[in-house]
């Protein structure tokens, strides 16, 4: 049986490491272009087998019995915790995911959308004509602020400045290039010390809030003032609905939801704005669709509903296409339980195996003109339209391991993008952004735009107006 392709000589190893040091997508593209659809890179426990393409996605992501999260995301264990969704499998994973479901489905998703769009509006209100704005950074901050409220409640959100400072120290290490990050988590370093101290500071605040609510019999965090209103994620995890959760399970769910929430959603929205402004005619067409939306008599409860967002047909094409060209999660590792064969190669049991949505989404074998941003490719009435399979287009993962926040993103992204197009005039100033980030694909040095005069306002309603409350 042939040896698995991969770098062997010092020069080859250096070139692969340099590509990954530059960005995760560049490292993956280098492996694919140099060694093919199957390759291996790394030493010891970090040695990873990379399998590229839809067939590989189906094999790995469609077979949860042999390809597990446990042991594949150890790099995130100090942050997410031992009981987080990203570090567990099987019944414990399913039990915790069911418990958290109300925060991510229906009412919880709509409340998150309301909070996020309100924060986006407040951000837009601060922009002035002639101002240069990092649209990714500012929108990410708005989404983070909203998610702090939705996941942690108002009491902890009142300490936003402290929490944000600590969360950013965590991201400082998480966004190191992959080779540097693998080393930094294992060896003593200033970045590792800062990250561990920040994790301890955030979890201390979370544990204090969890224990206060238990002690005062106030799982909803409302100080017994009201039994109604939306529940934050801590309240959902402490509720009597479903199985009881330990303090650590609540901590791990909330902290990992924060880390895995605002960064991917902020990244996806930032790249969507970039793609729209970088492609002639798209921003104006978004604005036209926003202005043509039904006005006036939409009930408040429907303003942020998935049904209302689905009416934004072109806007949803734009979001789908942007998630194709810039998927929030570039690479998905698993730990295989048993040995298996793929394309004539034997992958030993216990190995790290990785697949990549980014590589699949940019594959000319799957997509026509894969590097071109073309929202119309999602028009189901277009002649020759081909609906991608779940393993050809997978921005949120697949099956039981599909991102728990996918329902929130599916509403937030088109709603927020439509809001931005209707309320702003933006000119792109960052023309060739460089990729950065590991947990989420981010623009390394920001995405800068120049703010123009606000477009004339009309009476459009639906998901496009400000919060009617």
């Amino acid at each position: 049986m042939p040896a698995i392709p991969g770098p062997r000589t010092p020069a080859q190893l250096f070139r692969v490491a340099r590509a990954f040091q530059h960005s995760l997508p560049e490292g993956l593209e280098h492996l694919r272009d140099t060694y093919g659809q199957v390759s291996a890179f790394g030493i010891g426990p970090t040695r990873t087998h990379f399998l590229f393409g839809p067939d590989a996605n189906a094999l790995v992501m469609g077979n949860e019995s042999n390809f597990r999260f446990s042991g594949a995301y150890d790099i995130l264990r100090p942050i997410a915790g031992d009981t987080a969704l990203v570090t567990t499998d099987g019944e414990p994973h399913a039990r915790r995911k069911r418990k958290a479901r109300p925060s991510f489905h229906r009412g919880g998703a709509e409340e998150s959308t309301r909070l996020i769009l309100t924060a986006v509006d407040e951000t837009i209100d601060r922009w002035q004509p002639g101002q240069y704005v990092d649209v990714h950074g500012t929108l990410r901050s708005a989404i983070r602020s909203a998610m702090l409220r939705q996941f942690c409640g108002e009491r902890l959100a009142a300490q936003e400045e402290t929490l944000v400072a600590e969360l950013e120290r965590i991201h400082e290490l998480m966004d190191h290039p992959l080779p540097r990050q693998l080393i930094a988590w294992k060896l003593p370093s200033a970045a590792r010390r800062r990250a561990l101290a920040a994790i301890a500071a955030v979890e201390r605040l979370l544990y204090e809030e969890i224990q206060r609510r238990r002690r005062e019999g106030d799982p909803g965090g409302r100080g017994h003032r009201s039994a109604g209103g939306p529940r934050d994620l801590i309240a959902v995890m402490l509720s009597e609905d479903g199985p009881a959760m330990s303090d650590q399970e609540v901590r791990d769910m909330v902290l990992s939801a924060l880390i895995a929430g605002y960064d991917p959603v902020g990244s996806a929205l930032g790249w969507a704005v970039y793609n729209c402004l970088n492609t002639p005619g798209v921003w104006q067409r978004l604005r036209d669709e926003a202005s043509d939306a039904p006005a006036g008599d939409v009930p408040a409860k429907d303003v942020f509903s998935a049904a209302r967002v689905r009416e934004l047909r072109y806007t949803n094409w734009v979001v789908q296409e942007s998630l194709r060209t810039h998927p929030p999660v570039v690479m998905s590792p698993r730990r295989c339980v048993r040995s298996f064969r793929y394309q004539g190669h034997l992958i030993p049991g216990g190995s790290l195996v990785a697949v990549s949505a980014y590589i699949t989404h940019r594959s000319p074998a799957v997509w026509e003109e894969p590097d071109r941003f073309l929202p119309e490719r999602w028009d189901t009435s277009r002649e020759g339209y081909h609906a991608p399979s779940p393993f050809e287009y997978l921005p949120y993962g697949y099956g039981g391991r599909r991102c728990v926040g996918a329902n929130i993103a599916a509403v937030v992204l088109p709603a927020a993008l439509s809001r931005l197009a209707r309320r702003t005039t933006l000119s792109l100033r960052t023309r060739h952004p460089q990729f950065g980030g590991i947990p989420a694909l981010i623009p390394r040095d920001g995405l800068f735009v120049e703010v123009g005069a606000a477009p004339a306002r009309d009476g459009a309603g639906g998901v496009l107006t400000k919060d009617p409350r």
Side-chain angles (χ1 to χ4, degrees):
M1 186 166 292
I4 298 171
R8 299 281 191 272
T9 69
Q12 291 172 337
L13 291 166
F14 172 77
R15 283 192 287 271
V16 175
R18 183 177 59 183
F20 274 112
Q21 179 72 15
H22 193 259
S23 76
L24 185 54
E26 186 170 321
L28 295 172
E29 288 173 335
H30 180 87
L31 285 175
R32 178 202 59 193
D33 296 342
T34 307
Y35 302 104
Q37 298 293 98
V38 181
S39 61
F41 174 62
I43 57 175
T46 67
R47 181 172 174 80
T48 303
H49 297 77
F50 296 88
L51 313 181
F52 298 127
D55 291 343
N57 299 337
L59 172 69
V60 174
M61 305 184 85
N63 184 0
E64 294 183 27
S65 65
N66 193 43
F67 298 94
R68 315 285 284 181
F69 270 50
S70 302
Y73 286 86
D74 286 348
I75 192 172
L76 295 178
R77 196 173 291 274
I79 303 168
D82 294 334
T83 73
L85 297 184
V86 76
T87 57
T88 57
D89 292 286
E91 191 280 330
H93 169 91
R95 177 173 59 85
R96 294 165 189 142
K97 191 172 184 177
R98 285 194 303 270
K99 183 76 172 187
R101 190 180 302 273
S103 286
F104 300 96
H105 289 253
R106 296 185 183 145
E110 291 184 9
E111 176 64 9
S112 290
T113 305
R114 184 189 72 79
L115 289 169
I116 290 171
L117 293 189
T118 298
V120 168
D121 270 326
E122 292 171 352
T123 298
I124 293 172
D125 288 341
R126 292 191 292 270
W127 292 351
Q128 300 296 323
Q131 182 181 2
Y132 278 60
V133 171
D134 175 8
V135 71
H136 166 261
T138 55
L139 293 175
R140 175 181 180 268
S141 294
I143 291 166
R144 180 180 57 207
S145 180
M147 287 189 171
L148 277 172
R149 281 160 175 76
Q150 177 66 355
F151 294 156
C152 301
E154 292 296 334
R155 185 186 296 268
L156 280 183
Q159 301 183 62
E160 180 175 350
E161 185 175 346
T162 298
L163 280 166
V164 165
E166 302 299 351
L167 289 169
E168 287 305 291
R169 290 188 183 97
I170 298 171
H171 275 285
E172 177 189 338
L173 180 52
M174 290 177 68
D175 289 333
H176 277 356
L178 185 59
R180 184 179 170 196
Q181 186 174 161
L182 290 171
I183 294 170
W185 277 116
K186 297 295 184 182
L187 300 177
S189 67
R192 182 175 182 269
R193 287 194 298 273
R194 285 194 298 270
L196 292 176
I199 294 166
V202 173
E203 71 179 11
R204 182 170 61 251
L205 291 173
L206 284 174
Y207 278 133
E208 287 175 357
E209 178 67 7
I210 293 164
Q211 290 159 8
R212 183 197 65 79
R213 294 194 195 190
R214 288 194 193 276
R215 185 173 61 251
E216 297 178 7
D218 181 27
R222 302 187 183 91
H224 306 290
R225 288 190 298 274
S226 170
R231 297 185 298 173
D232 57 62
L233 181 55
I234 294 177
V236 168
M237 296 300 289
L238 291 177
S239 73
E240 295 181 357
D241 301 330
M245 295 283 119
S246 68
D247 286 3
Q248 182 179 349
E249 286 176 304
V250 180
R251 174 266 186 215
D252 291 355
M253 179 63 72
V254 174
L255 183 52
S256 59
L258 270 177
I259 294 293
Y262 66 82
D263 227 25
V265 175
S267 165
L269 185 55
W271 287 118
V273 173
Y274 166 78
N275 284 318
C276 291
L277 297 177
N278 198 45
T279 309
V282 173
W283 196 254
Q284 183 59 51
R285 189 166 174 185
L286 286 177
R287 180 179 294 163
D288 291 343
E289 182 173 73
S291 299
D292 290 341
D297 57 353
V298 180
K301 67 181 179 64
D302 293 334
V303 168
F304 307 108
S305 70
R308 297 294 297 169
V309 168
R310 279 195 293 269
E311 296 176 13
L312 301 170
R313 185 165 174 258
Y314 183 75
T315 307
N316 277 284
W317 295 351
V318 168
V319 170
Q320 288 174 282
E321 180 70 347
S322 193
L323 289 172
R324 183 189 69 81
T325 59
H326 296 85
V329 178
V330 172
M331 183 180 78
S332 299
R334 302 286 194 275
R335 183 76 68 177
C336 69
V337 179
R338 299 175 299 277
S339 301
F340 67 98
R341 286 180 172 83
Y342 182 72
Q343 292 191 0
H345 300 287
L346 177 65
I347 313 296
S351 297
L352 268 176
V353 178
V355 294
S356 171
Y358 178 89
I359 294 296
T360 302
H361 289 186
R362 299 287 188 116
S363 170
V366 179
W367 305 92
E368 184 179 353
E369 298 183 272
D371 293 327
R372 182 183 176 194
F373 185 76
L374 184 65
E376 289 77 11
R377 77 169 78 239
W378 297 95
D379 180 0
T380 58
S381 65
R382 178 175 60 88
E383 184 177 355
Y385 170 78
H386 164 70
S389 77
F391 301 110
E392 293 173 329
Y393 180 70
L394 56 166
Y396 301 120
Y398 174 78
R401 302 310 303 234
R402 189 170 185 264
C403 174
V404 70
N407 288 339
I408 293 176
V411 179
V412 163
L413 293 176
L417 187 61
S418 186
R419 178 86 104 242
L420 284 158
R422 179 172 180 259
R423 294 199 59 206
T424 67
T425 299
L426 305 175
S427 300
L428 188 63
R429 291 293 176 262
T430 300
R431 288 292 177 182
H432 301 288
Q434 300 298 306
F435 291 146
I438 297 296
L441 183 65
I442 64 174
R444 183 184 300 165
D445 300 312
L447 290 173
F448 283 88
V449 300
E450 183 178 357
V451 179
R457 301 295 294 273
D458 55 29
V463 298
L464 309 172
T465 55
K466 282 194 175 185
D467 184 359
R469 294 186 183 184

